[in-house]
Amino acid sequence: MAADTERRFLSSALSAYGSQLGRVAIRTLAELALARLILPEDWGVFGLARAVLVIAGLVRDAGTQYHLVRDERRPYGEVLVWILTTGSLLTVGLVLAAGLFAGLDPRLPEVLTWFAPWLLLDGLAIVPKVFFERRLAVRRLVAPEVLRGALFATLAITLAALGWGVWSLVAAELSAAAFFAAFVWRRAWGEIPLGWDPAAIPPLLRRSSLLFLIALAAVPIPHVQRFVIAAFDESASLAVAFFEKAYEWGLRLQILVLPALLRVVYPALVEYRGNRQRMVDAYRLGTVGILALETLAAYFLFFNAEVVLLDIILGPKWVAAVPLLKILCFLPLADPFTRLGGEVLKVREEDRTWLVIVIANMTSLLVFGVLLARPFGVAGMAWANYLLLGNLLMAWRMASFCGPAFWRLLRDLAFVYLLPLPLFLLTAAVFPAASWSRFAASIAASALVAAAFLHRFEGPVKDFFFRPSAAAEGDRR
């Protein structure tokens, strides 16, 4: 059973990374074109609309999709009925209430009215998606996800070239969501047990309630920042657009790596919940693997922000996003333990602890965001991201969970954080800022550091997946 879990874990992890790489590559290439075809103001109003829909989506789900992974009863039918019902009601409610958002941007109500069906379309795909992830069969989702990204890119670029502006993004998102839902249902139809009992829905919601509150406090964190910026900046849409692009590209590798790993780590940890040592090993190696990639990205972006953002990706009209990118690119490194810590707490059903952590983080972000955005504007909001107090509680909780292995994790993270520093400082000293020569030297430095990381961590990863008993023995030593 253990060997089968490792095999499915590894297969799903590789599939998840393949899917994520394909989607991000497509999305990145699309944004290279869209950033030049769509005005920053249009990106800003679209970002505000998407933030509203993401938060409404959390209400739609009520935590059920997270609980579905760990619920041994597999209540797929009950979750589907709940999401379809709430998705329909919220879609109608958002259309009727769209005018309430006019204070953020005069165009926002109209955009929300047409974008609202995304709530229902996105919800349609949740049950079959979780079904495959729970079985560690992520490979079944690779083609639908990559094709969804390709459809979005093709449609958005075509419509933007025709002058549709923000509507090209709305139409592409709606079309891609509908396509994805139809594709995954076609693959899952006949395999998912969809019988449902109306009396089972209230207990399901009770068991999901804390996960809902956790998601309600954690997921909107990037989106809430847009509203704080809009409240303290006269050119709200423009300021939101610059912040959004800096935030997105500052955390680009986190966006690439983390979703791929989380979708397989959570189900794998559910499989390991009877074996604490394997849970600790999976958490430690997963955390180091994520931070190794994110550290390289952070150094590279900081020393090459102008070339990456202006010359390659977005173009010169986005110059105001460069200083924000330099602030935000190191953000992933400030919070190493929460990355997978939430999955550990969910598996161990420590929902209250996780809820306290995310509420502390949301409260910190709002308080410090308002305090810093008032005098310093968008840059103040960016710095507030480093002051999330809940992360300290997560570090303490993961230290308790890992035991002696936590100190080994700290040593590994120190190695990962500090190894690239001399090489990147050398490239900065030798080559001028905002130059292609520094960009090329940084690529060489990244390759050398990546090779050192691979040499250092190749053995523990092989032990975990191919020699589980050796890994456990090594940890005991």
Side-chain angles (χ1 to χ4, degrees), residues 159-174:
L159 295 177
L162 294 173
W164 280 43
V166 66
W167 299 109
S168 61
L169 300 173
V170 172
E173 285 284 9
L174 291 172

Side-chain angles (χ1 to χ4, degrees), residues 400-414:
S400 301
F401 166 70
C402 293
F406 186 74
W407 300 107
R408 183 176 178 183
L409 173 59
L410 289 180
R411 291 196 300 271
D412 288 341
L413 290 177

Side-chain angles (χ1 to χ4, degrees), residues 409-432:
L409 173 59
L410 289 180
R411 291 196 300 271
D412 288 341
L413 290 177
F415 175 83
V416 165
Y417 284 7
L418 296 177
L419 183 65
L421 183 57
L423 281 176
F424 278 94
L425 287 177
L426 180 62
T427 62
V430 173
F431 301 100

Side-chain angles (χ1 to χ4, degrees), residues 351-374:
D351 297 345
R352 287 182 175 82
T353 302
W354 188 208
L355 178 60
V356 170
I357 290 170
V358 296
I359 288 177
N361 279 343
M362 175 61 83
T363 304
S364 302
L365 184 66
L366 288 174
V367 171
F368 290 116
V370 170
L371 290 176
L372 295 176
R374 189 185 299 273

Side-chain angles (χ1 to χ4, degrees), residues 70 207 273 344-352:
R70 69 187 187 187
R207 298 187 68 187
R273 56 185 159 190
V344 171
L345 295 180
K346 281 190 288 187
V347 171
R348 292 167 60 85
E349 299 200 26
E350 297 184 30
D351 297 345
R352 287 182 175 82

